[in-house]
Amino acid sequence: MSQPAVEIPRPGGNRAKFIVGGLLIVAAIVYLIASSTQASAQYFLTVEELRARADEVRGREARISGAVLGDTIQYDPQSLQLSFEIAHVPGDNKEIEVQGGLAAVLHAAVNDPTRPRIKVVYHGVKPDLLRHEAQAIVTGKLGEDGVFYAEELLLKCPTKYEEALPEQAGN
Amino acid sequence: MVAEIGFGALIVAFVVSIYGIVAGIYGARRHAEPWLESGRRAMLLTWPLITLAVLCLVALLVGGHYEVQYVYNVTSSFMPLYLKVTALWGGQAGSLVFWSWLMAAFASAVTLRKWDRDREFLPWVIVVTLVTLAFFLGLVIFVENPFVRFWQMPDGRQAVAMFAPRGALPLVPMEGRGLNPLLRHPGMILHPPMLYLGFVSFVIPYAFGIAALVTGRTDDRWIRITRRWTLVAWLFLSLGLILGSRWAYDVLGWGGYWGWDPVEIAAFMPWLSGTAFLHSVMIQEKRGLFKRWNMILIILTYALVIFGTFLTRSGVLSSVHAFAQSAIGPLFFGFIAITFLGSLGLLLYRWNDLRSEGVMTSLLSREALFLLNNLLFMGVLVVCFWGVIYPLISEIITGQKVTVGPSYYERSTGPLFAALLLLMGIAPLSAWGHSTLKTLGRALWKPLVASVVIVVGLWVGGIRAWSALLAFWLVALVSLVTLYEYYRAVVARHRRTGENYLRALWNLAGRNRRRYGGYIIHLGVVLMALGIIGIELFQTETQGTVQPGGSLRLGNYTMLFQRLDVFDTQDGRNVARAVVSVFKGDRYVGELHPRRDFFYDSQQTMTIPGVRSTMEDDFYVLLVDWQSSAQGITFKVYHNPLVNWLWVGGLVFILGTLVAAWPDREAEPTRARATQSLAAQRVRP
C-alpha cells in the first residue's frame, strides 16, 4: 500500500510531504477498516456452540446455521410472524464432506432427536425454500428467552445443488 | 460419440498448450525462430480445438442428452433453445470450458495481429497465456469434466464416469433437472460471459507485463501495446458488473442491486485494481513514474482474476452465487500462489531497472492526484479483501469464525467512494508536473460556486440529511467540472479553427479519445452515484397482506390489488400473477403485474417484481405469498428514488469506455516517450 511512496525519489522537502500525506491516508483507511470490522462483526456459530456459549454471545450479532425441522414451521401471513426450529449441523465444510455431503448431514440432523435445537423467530415473508431439511443460515441475536431473533434469513436446499445421480432414470 | 469427440478435443488442446509452453520457452531462450513459430502455431491451434469441444457440449445440451451428467444438471426439455445453448455456462464444468474457450480466442487474437511488431514480447506472452489456459484445461479434463456420463453397473449400482466401466450399460434419464430458474433471465445470460471476457482479457496485459520483466524491456512499451486490451478488459468487466446488478434488481426480488456478497466482491476486486492500473499507467506514459507500481497492479489484477474465478467455483465461501463445492479449490489456490509468487520474484529481479525517471514535486499536480486516486482504489480493495478473508483469518487465529456483513462494507467504503468522487472533480483540472492552489482555484471556482448553489437549492427544497447533501454536492461538482472542461475545450477549438461547436466537439473527442472518453466515463460514474444515493439513502419499503380490492400505501403511492390469476404455461411454469393498479397521489399511473413462477422441472419458484419505472423513482412491487393465507395475498413494496440513474449512468459509462477504447483514426504512433522538459509537460495532453 505504501509502495508508491518508495517510488518518489530524491531531494527536497517534498518527499516528506508525500510520505506524511500517504501515511495519513493509509492510517485513515486502516482506521475505517478496523472500526467497521468491530462494529459489524458477526459470530459464525453452530447451534451447539450457541447453546454452550449463550451467556457470552447473548445480545451480540451472530450468524448460525442449522437444519430446518418442517413441522415446527409456524407462519402468520397477517402479521408476517415466522418461527421454526433448527437442529445442529457441523459448521465445518470438511466435516460435512466426511459425513456424506450437505444433503446427508441435513437429513441426519432432522432425524436425530438428541441434537441440540433452537427456536428461530423472524419477522417477514416466509421464503419458499423454507421447508423440511433445508439449511437455514440466520443472522441476528440470541434473546434472553433463549430464542434466536433473526434479522436475516438465508436458505439453501440441497436438492437445488448438483447431485451426482439422477432420481428417476430409465434405459 | 459426441461426448468422446469433445473430451478428445480438450485433451488434444491440453497437450498442444503444454507443447506450446515448452516450444515458446525453448525458442525464446535459444532465439530459435522455428521453435517460436511452432509455439505460436500451437497457440493458434488451441482455439479451434476448444471450439470443437464447446460445439460438442452445446450439441449435447441442445440435443437433450441427459446421459451426460452436466446436461442432466442444467437443462430440461421445457427450456427454450437459447437457454439450452447458454446453459453452457450455467454450471461449473461448462463454465470452465467456456472460460478456456474465451482465453484461447483472446490469446490467438494477440498473436494474429502485429506478430512482427511485438516480436521480443510475444514468445513470453504465448507462454503466460498458455500456462493459464493449460491450468484451466487441466481442471476441466482431470477434475471437472463436463462430458462424464451416467452408467448402470452390472451389480445394479449407478456410476458416473467418462468411459463405460466394465460391463456397464449407459443410463439415460428421461428428463433433466433444468437450469436454476434464477439463471433464466437475459441479464444472467449475458452477465457471466461479460465477466469472463473481462477476466480473460486482463490476462493479456499481464502477459505483456511479465514478458517485459523477462526480456528486460522495462520502459512503457508493454503498457502502450496493451493500452487498448486493458480498456477492453475493463469494459467487459464493467459491463459484467452492471448487468449483474441489473439482474439482481430484476430477479432476486429484494429491491436492491448489490448485496456485498463475497462473489460479487470477487468480481469487483479485479475491477478495482484494474481501474487503479488504468489511471496509473498514464503517469508512467507521461512522466515515467510508478513503473514498479504498475507492474504490481497488473500482477495483482491477474491474481485477483484467478481468485475471483476461484471464489465463484470453489464454494470456499458461502454465497448465493457459488456452485456446489468441489475439489478444485486447492488447485486454484496452488495456481494463484505459484503465479503470484513467481511474478513477484521476477519483479524483484528487475527491481532496479524499474526506477522512476522523474521526481514528483507538487502535491496538487496531476500525477500526485493520480497517486491519491490509486491509494483510494487500493483502500477500497483492501476493505473488500479483508472483508472476504476475515472469516478465514479469524477462524485460523481465534478458532472462532467471525463474518462481517454488508454494513461493514458500506461503512468503510462510503468515505472512500466519496473521496474518489471529490478527486474526480478536482484531478481533471490540475496540470502535469506542477499545480498550485492558485492555478487549481482559478479553474475550479466557477463549477464550485454553481455546485454550492445547487446544494443550497436542495436544502431549501427540504432535503436535510447531511449525508445526502454532501453526496449531491459531490455529484453536482463533478458533473459541472466535467461539462465545464468540455465547454472550455470546445470554445477554444471553435475560436482557433472556426469549426462550429458540434464539429469542434466531435473532433476534440476524436483527437484525444482517452481523455474525452474518460470524461464521459466520469459523467457516467456521477449518474450512477446519483442512482446509488437515491436507493441507499432514500429507499422506503412496506409490506402487508391484502384482499382483492384492498390497498397498500407507501409515501405518495397507493397500490390497489385487483385480482390474482393462476395458470400454467407452455414452457413448464405455473404462474401466479397479481394485477395491481398504482396511484400516485390520486392520479392513476398504471397497472403492474408482480408474479411468481413455479418451475416444475427444478421445483423452484422465482419472484418477478412489477415495477413502475421513471427517472424520478421506481415503484417496485413483489408478490411474496399467495397460498398460505385465506386473508389475502402478501405484497412487499419498495420505493426506490432515482434508481434509474444507476442504469442510465451505466450506459453512459460503457459509452465512454467505448470512446476511449475505439481505435484511433491514424495508425497508433509508436514513438517512445522522449524525455520532455517539465515545461512541455505542463501542457495537458
Side-chain angles (χ1 to χ4, degrees), chain B residues 316-394:
Chain B
V316 71
L317 299 159
S318 50
S319 153
V320 289
H321 293 66
F323 292 97
Q325 288 184 37
S326 85
I328 62 180
L331 294 170
F332 259 109
F333 190 69
F335 183 73
I336 293 171
I338 291 168
T339 52
F340 191 64
L341 294 177
S343 309
L344 287 186
L346 259 180
L347 176 64
L348 287 178
Y349 175 66
R350 295 286 180 197
W351 191 254
N352 288 329
D353 300 340
L354 289 163
R355 207 172 288 124
S356 287
E357 289 164 35
V359 199
M360 216 153 55
T361 48
S362 159
L363 271 180
L364 291 172
S365 64
R366 180 81 72 93
E367 56 267 36
L369 295 180
F370 268 132
L371 171 62
L372 184 56
N373 148 303
N374 267 238
L375 264 180
L376 291 170
F377 271 112
M378 285 299 106
V380 178
L381 180 65
V382 171
V383 166
C384 291
F385 190 69
W386 175 252
V388 169
I389 60 163
Y390 187 64
L392 304 177
I393 290 184
S394 68

Side-chain angles (χ1 to χ4, degrees), chain A residues 1-26 28-46 49 53 56-57 60-63 75-81 91-94 96-97 102 122-129 131 135 137 139 152 154-171, chain B residues 69-70 72-74 90-92 144 150 152 158-160 169-175 177 180 182 289-294 296 315-316 318-320 322-325 351 354 356-363 365 368 371-372 375-376 378-380 382-383 386 390 395 399-409 411-413 415-416 543-545 596 603-607 624-625 628-629 631-632 634-636:
Chain A
M1 290 251 0
S2 56
Q3 201 53 46
V6 183
E7 302 229 2
I8 304 146
R10 285 189 309 241
N14 272 325
R15 192 178 174 172
K17 261 198 307 197
F18 277 100
I19 291 177
V20 170
L23 285 179
L24 279 178
I25 292 164
V26 170
I29 293 171
V30 169
Y31 169 77
L32 269 176
I33 293 177
S35 67
S36 311
T37 307
Q38 194 91 57
S40 50
Q42 298 166 348
Y43 284 80
F44 211 107
L45 300 164
T46 62
E49 287 165 337
R53 301 168 51 185
E56 182 192 342
V57 182
R60 302 188 66 156
E61 281 276 293
R63 179 180 265 217
Y75 178 54
D76 174 15
Q78 204 59 46
S79 63
L80 299 169
Q81 205 70 27
D92 188 33
N93 282 340
K94 273 198 207 94
I96 293 176
E97 287 291 294
L102 188 59
Y122 174 75
H123 179 79
V125 176
K126 179 177 154 241
D128 299 314
L129 292 175
R131 41 176 118 128
Q135 184 192 16
I137 301 166
T139 309
E152 195 193 313
L154 280 174
L155 287 151
K156 267 190 184 176
C157 259
T159 50
K160 222 176 97 181
Y161 290 80
E162 294 177 8
E163 269 167 28
L165 295 167
E167 292 128 11
Q168 88 284 30
N171 285 320
Chain B
Q69 187 188 22
Y70 184 76
Y72 167 76
N73 275 330
V74 297
Q92 177 157 281
E144 284 291 336
F150 295 119
Q152 185 79 53
Q158 298 175 339
V160 182
L169 290 168
L171 179 66
V172 187
M174 304 296 285
E175 179 61 279
R177 294 150 58 96
N180 185 335
L182 291 177
L289 302 167
F290 297 155
K291 292 182 177 178
R292 294 165 185 159
W293 179 237
N294 286 331
I296 291 174
V316 71
S318 50
S319 153
V320 289
F323 292 97
Q325 288 184 37
W351 191 254
L354 289 163
S356 287
E357 289 164 35
V359 199
M360 216 153 55
T361 48
S362 159
L363 271 180
S365 64
L371 171 62
L372 184 56
L375 264 180
L376 291 170
M378 285 299 106
V380 178
V382 171
V383 166
W386 175 252
Y390 187 64
E395 195 169 17
Q400 167 66 59
K401 201 167 181 178
V402 184
T403 58
V404 288
S407 71
Y408 158 80
Y409 296 101
R411 275 181 55 133
S412 36
T413 58
L416 297 176
Q543 54 188 15
T545 305
R596 312 208 80 184
Q603 297 283 304
Q604 278 181 268
T605 45
M606 180 163 156
T607 307
V624 287
D625 191 27
S628 60
S629 167
Q631 291 139 321
T634 310
F635 291 97
K636 187 155 191 172

Side-chain angles (χ1 to χ4, degrees), chain B residues 213-432:
Chain B
L213 285 178
V214 173
T215 55
R217 277 216 55 170
T218 48
D219 56 1
D220 59 4
R221 190 168 152 69
W222 72 276
I223 286 177
R224 290 182 177 277
I225 294 172
T226 58
R227 178 200 282 174
R228 191 144 291 124
W229 277 109
T230 311
L231 273 169
V232 167
W234 194 70
L235 170 73
F236 283 123
L237 205 48
S238 310
L239 252 178
L241 288 167
I242 293 169
L243 284 170
S245 306
R246 180 73 213 200
W247 168 77
Y249 189 73
D250 283 349
V251 171
L252 286 187
W254 40 273
Y257 59 95
W258 183 263
W260 294 107
D261 177 281
V263 177
E264 287 170 359
I265 296 169
F268 190 44
M269 285 196 293
W271 186 88
L272 288 168
S273 62
T275 310
F277 179 73
L278 271 183
H279 286 95
S280 82
V281 290
M282 286 189 248
I283 319 178
Q284 183 169 346
E285 286 178 28
K286 297 274 185 238
R287 298 287 322 270
L289 302 167
F290 297 155
K291 292 182 177 178
R292 294 165 185 159
W293 179 237
N294 286 331
M295 282 291 177
I296 291 174
L297 280 179
I298 197 65
I299 291 169
L300 193 62
T301 306
Y302 175 78
L304 288 171
V305 159
I306 308 291
F307 185 64
T309 319
F310 160 65
L311 276 191
T312 42
R313 293 290 168 264
S314 67
V316 71
L317 299 159
S318 50
S319 153
V320 289
H321 293 66
F323 292 97
Q325 288 184 37
S326 85
I328 62 180
L331 294 170
F332 259 109
F333 190 69
F335 183 73
I336 293 171
I338 291 168
T339 52
F340 191 64
L341 294 177
S343 309
L344 287 186
L346 259 180
L347 176 64
L348 287 178
Y349 175 66
R350 295 286 180 197
W351 191 254
N352 288 329
D353 300 340
L354 289 163
R355 207 172 288 124
S356 287
E357 289 164 35
V359 199
M360 216 153 55
T361 48
S362 159
L363 271 180
L364 291 172
S365 64
R366 180 81 72 93
E367 56 267 36
L369 295 180
F370 268 132
L371 171 62
L372 184 56
N373 148 303
N374 267 238
L375 264 180
L376 291 170
F377 271 112
M378 285 299 106
V380 178
L381 180 65
V382 171
V383 166
C384 291
F385 190 69
W386 175 252
V388 169
I389 60 163
Y390 187 64
L392 304 177
I393 290 184
S394 68
E395 195 169 17
I396 291 167
I397 293 176
T398 64
Q400 167 66 59
K401 201 167 181 178
V402 184
T403 58
V404 288
S407 71
Y408 158 80
Y409 296 101
E410 282 158 16
R411 275 181 55 133
S412 36
T413 58
L416 297 176
F417 281 130
L420 276 170
L421 266 183
L422 180 63
L423 205 54
M424 228 164 71
I426 296 172
L429 300 175
S430 75
W432 293 105

Side-chain angles (χ1 to χ4, degrees), chain A residues 56-154:
Chain A
E56 182 192 342
V57 182
R58 187 165 292 136
R60 302 188 66 156
E61 281 276 293
R63 179 180 265 217
I64 57 172
S65 111
V68 176
L69 297 160
D71 17 314
T72 61
I73 300 174
Q74 289 177 347
Y75 178 54
D76 174 15
Q78 204 59 46
S79 63
L80 299 169
Q81 205 70 27
L82 175 66
S83 73
F84 54 92
E85 282 181 28
I86 54 175
H88 171 82
V89 291
D92 188 33
N93 282 340
K94 273 198 207 94
E95 211 171 311
I96 293 176
E97 287 291 294
V98 169
Q99 295 182 17
L102 188 59
V105 166
L106 291 172
H107 185 72
V110 294
N111 291 317
D112 178 2
T114 63
R115 296 249 185 154
R117 297 176 174 189
I118 192 163
K119 184 177 175 185
V120 176
V121 171
Y122 174 75
H123 179 79
V125 176
K126 179 177 154 241
D128 299 314
L129 292 175
L130 185 75
R131 41 176 118 128
H132 194 56
E133 281 187 36
Q135 184 192 16
I137 301 166
V138 285
T139 309
K141 288 172 183 164
L142 181 66
E144 293 293 332
D145 49 2
V147 171
F148 192 82
Y149 292 92
E151 281 141 29
E152 195 193 313
L153 170 59
L154 280 174

Side-chain angles (χ1 to χ4, degrees), chain B residues 180-195:
Chain B
N180 185 335
L182 291 177
L183 304 181
R184 303 180 193 187
H185 177 271
M188 225 343 117
I189 289 162
L190 289 172
H191 159 75
M194 290 300 143
L195 219 49

